Amino acid sequence: GNHRLRRGAGDYLEQAASGSPEAMAHVGIGYASGTDGYPEDLERARYWLRLAAEKEVPAAMGIYALVCFYDDERNDPKQSLELLRKASEHDDDFKAWLALLLYEGEALGVWPDYRESAKLATAAAESGNPLGKVVMAFHYYDGPPVDEDLDKARLPASEAANEGEAQALGSLRSL
């Protein structure tokens, strides 16, 4: 490639090219976010994340799934959902993302599953995850599958807003 890496990033790239799954994940995440010495490059990110996801590195599975969900041209909801489910077994952030997609993912090709969404959101929220709290607020606000309760909706949304979750701030304003 014609891009320039900052010092240190090349070491991970070399390890990734040699087959290290963790290095593949590191490189993919670096390219996806434009951090750790990598320029932002979604194509390279997708390449390295896919390789690491195939080797079942949880962070890579989850991030690759999200990248694919939000890519209009390459959205494969079934594959992405499967990867996100596997990643959510290891990480509450991915549990919260899965809860959100199962709650309102129809536009991305995901059939809603409110029961599973509430279960995942509850687990993520109980561990302090701000997005999990937001999704729980959605459930309390809209009802399914928990009883509609605006007071209960405000509490997790305000906790998440205090933790800086951007979506929580918007949700709290609408309650």
Side-chain angles (χ1 to χ4, degrees), residues 58-149:
M61 289 189 298
I63 294 170
Y64 182 66
L66 292 172
V67 165
C68 290
F69 265 122
Y70 290 99
D71 183 338
D72 292 335
E73 295 173 17
R74 297 192 180 114
N75 182 0
D76 180 350
K78 186 176 178 185
Q79 178 196 25
S80 296
L81 205 54
E82 182 182 322
L83 284 172
L84 199 53
R85 283 184 200 286
K86 285 182 182 179
S88 74
E89 295 170 8
H90 303 278
D91 189 306
D92 286 331
D93 286 341
F94 297 126
K95 207 172 271 175
W97 275 103
L98 181 56
L100 179 63
L101 287 166
L102 291 171
Y103 183 81
E104 63 176 18
E106 275 186 274
L108 299 172
V110 177
W111 191 256
D113 183 337
Y114 299 120
R115 286 196 193 292
E116 186 179 0
S117 174
K119 180 180 159 191
L120 291 163
T122 299
E126 286 174 353
S127 72
N129 183 282
L131 182 57
K133 292 175 183 180
V134 169
V135 178
M136 275 312 302
F138 289 164
H139 280 285
Y140 283 123
Y141 182 75
D142 286 337
V146 297
D147 291 332
E148 202 170 301
D149 186 331

Side-chain angles (χ1 to χ4, degrees), residues 147-159:
D147 291 332
E148 202 170 301
D149 186 331
L150 291 182
D151 289 332
K152 283 187 178 179
R154 286 184 189 99
L155 179 63
S158 64
E159 287 176 359

